[in-house]
Amino acid sequence: MTARIVSIGTALPDTRVTQSTLRDLFAAQPGFDRKAQRLVGAAFDAAAIDTRHVVLPQLAGTAVDGLPVRDGDTLLMPPTGARNDEYRRTAPGLFAAASRAAIEGSGYSTDAVTHVVTVSCTGMFAPGPDYHLVRDLGLSPTVERYHLGFIGCAAAIPALRLAARIVGNDPAAVVLVACTELCSLHWQTSSHPDQIVAASVFADGAGAAVVASGDPSREGLDLDGFATHVTDDGEKDMAWTVGDSGFEMTLTPEVPRIIGREISAIAADVLGDLADVDAWAVHPGGRSILDRVESALGLDAEALAPSREVLRRHGNMSSATLLFILRDLLADPALKDGDSVAAMAFGPGLTVEAATLTARRASA
């Protein structure tokens, strides 16, 4: 039985801040010399991002109670526990908002949901987001729950793979997949190039999908196949560790180069004939990653337009980002019944996750 994404919902924090505002704030940090300030300006301006959403209004200059992250123009470095407390306070609402939107658009009731798969790498607590979704959405207390943590930007694809396998084993299953990432909680006020690059792209957001067995009366995206590939190098170039002052992201300039060097062989291996792909959903880890993928695969400029548009409006929301792209593709009338969609995302390792999907439009 083919599993199908029948609906996708998204949610964003209320605070929307321009890239230029965040650039100027980060460049103004005490101890940043002219070289660091130039690097901040170059990284933020080259990111191809206009706006990002964050759960911290303080970053947009709004004075509120909560996590102490700013004193005037000086960014503070609260301890990991305080950052995680803010995650625990704010993440469940975004998980629930995206999930409600997905369920409302699916044609299923909350009573129909049999499984919940949650995804996040920006916080942790127990009972966790999976438990809170059952309570917040009024799901059955017998719903099976799974949580995928610390997989990073690529995690939406393994979550969809798990959902597809559940539905393949039980055609009556209705699986809710929900990804929420609050990357802004882990800003590091460091002039190290890796931290500047991370600060220039990461943002907050949530995406959710309802996956069920294919039904001719429901539009959606059939989940046809999945593949994963670990590159020969890159283990130290994309990493995510827990520090005393938040989670510390390593994202070196080698990441786009590694992807650009290896993506052609990987794509041919996991996706087959690229000429058969009608639409692309590539995780925009950054503008340079999209540029390398486009060049290496010989794609035309429009192929990655959906990925670039999500990056421009929202930044890199880690695992949730791919669901935003798939949502936009699903809503695009240019995507016809039977069209092939290739999805790819990149995570620590360096790991490439891929999926092949087929667009399904409701029969008359």
Side-chain angles (χ1 to χ4, degrees), residues 5-354:
I5 299 174
V6 297
S7 180
I8 297 174
T10 58
L12 294 162
D14 292 335
T15 300
R16 181 175 179 234
V17 59
T18 65
Q19 180 78 341
S20 59
T21 296
L22 293 173
R23 176 201 63 207
D24 294 346
L25 173 62
F26 204 74
Q29 296 314 295
F32 279 32
D33 58 20
R34 290 184 178 180
K35 179 180 178 181
Q37 290 171 345
R38 286 195 299 269
L39 182 55
V40 169
F44 277 69
D45 291 345
I49 296 170
D50 290 347
T51 56
R52 291 186 262 171
H53 288 77
V54 295
V55 293
L56 298 172
Q58 304 95 309
L59 294 178
T62 303
V64 296
D65 293 333
L67 185 68
V69 297
R70 185 172 180 176
D71 181 8
D73 286 336
T74 300
L75 290 169
L76 306 177
M77 290 282 283
T80 302
R83 298 179 195 236
N84 197 64
D85 286 345
E86 189 70 9
Y87 174 88
R88 184 174 182 175
R89 187 182 72 83
T90 54
L94 286 167
F95 269 110
S99 297
R100 286 193 187 97
I103 293 173
E104 288 171 1
S106 71
Y108 289 100
S109 68
T110 53
D111 293 339
V113 176
T114 59
H115 299 72
V116 168
V117 180
T118 53
V119 175
S120 191
C121 67
T122 49
M124 57 186 75
F125 61 95
D130 52 320
Y131 168 91
H132 281 269
L133 271 182
V134 171
R135 291 297 180 90
D136 293 345
L137 272 59
L139 304 181
S140 168
T142 62
V143 164
E144 293 185 20
R145 312 188 325 264
Y146 304 90
H147 182 74
L148 304 183
F150 248 57
I151 299 177
C153 295
I157 292 180
L160 291 172
R161 180 171 59 220
L162 174 57
R165 289 181 176 172
I166 291 170
V167 171
N169 186 63
D170 178 7
V174 177
V175 185
L176 173 65
V177 174
C179 306
T180 294
E181 304 290 7
L182 307 184
C183 304
S184 70
L185 296 180
H186 299 289
W187 258 32
Q188 305 289 316
T189 56
S190 167
S191 60
H192 191 284
D194 291 354
Q195 298 304 325
I196 291 174
V197 170
S200 72
V201 298
F202 284 107
D204 304 344
V210 174
V211 178
S213 58
D215 180 337
S217 67
R218 301 179 191 272
E219 296 191 348
L221 296 166
D222 282 352
L223 295 165
D224 299 322
F226 296 88
T228 187
H229 187 102
V230 177
T231 60
D232 291 336
D233 56 5
E235 180 178 351
K236 296 180 180 179
D237 295 293
M238 185 188 294
W240 194 240
T241 59
V242 179
D244 292 334
S245 298
F247 296 173
E248 298 172 2
M249 181 68 186
T250 298
L251 192 64
T252 77
E254 287 301 311
V255 171
R257 287 194 278 269
I258 293 169
I259 292 173
R261 184 177 67 239
E262 302 201 19
I263 196 62
S264 295
I266 293 172
D269 181 45
V270 304
L271 298 176
D273 189 350
L274 302 187
D276 294 335
V277 176
D278 298 300
W280 291 85
V282 177
H283 174 75
R287 180 195 58 80
S288 58
I289 289 177
L290 293 178
D291 290 347
R292 294 278 184 161
V293 170
E294 182 180 290
S295 176
L297 299 186
L299 303 178
D300 62 53
E302 290 301 309
L304 300 186
S307 297
R308 294 187 189 278
E309 181 62 10
V310 168
L311 179 67
R312 184 186 69 80
R313 291 187 286 124
H314 304 302
N316 179 351
M317 300 168 286
S318 191
S319 68
T321 318
L322 189 71
L323 292 177
F324 278 71
I325 300 167
L326 292 175
R327 175 205 63 186
D328 291 350
L329 287 176
L330 189 55
D332 186 354
L335 191 70
K336 305 300 184 184
D337 184 68
D339 280 354
S340 172
V341 178
M344 289 193 298
F346 316 102
L350 182 65
T351 303
V352 179
E353 294 285 357

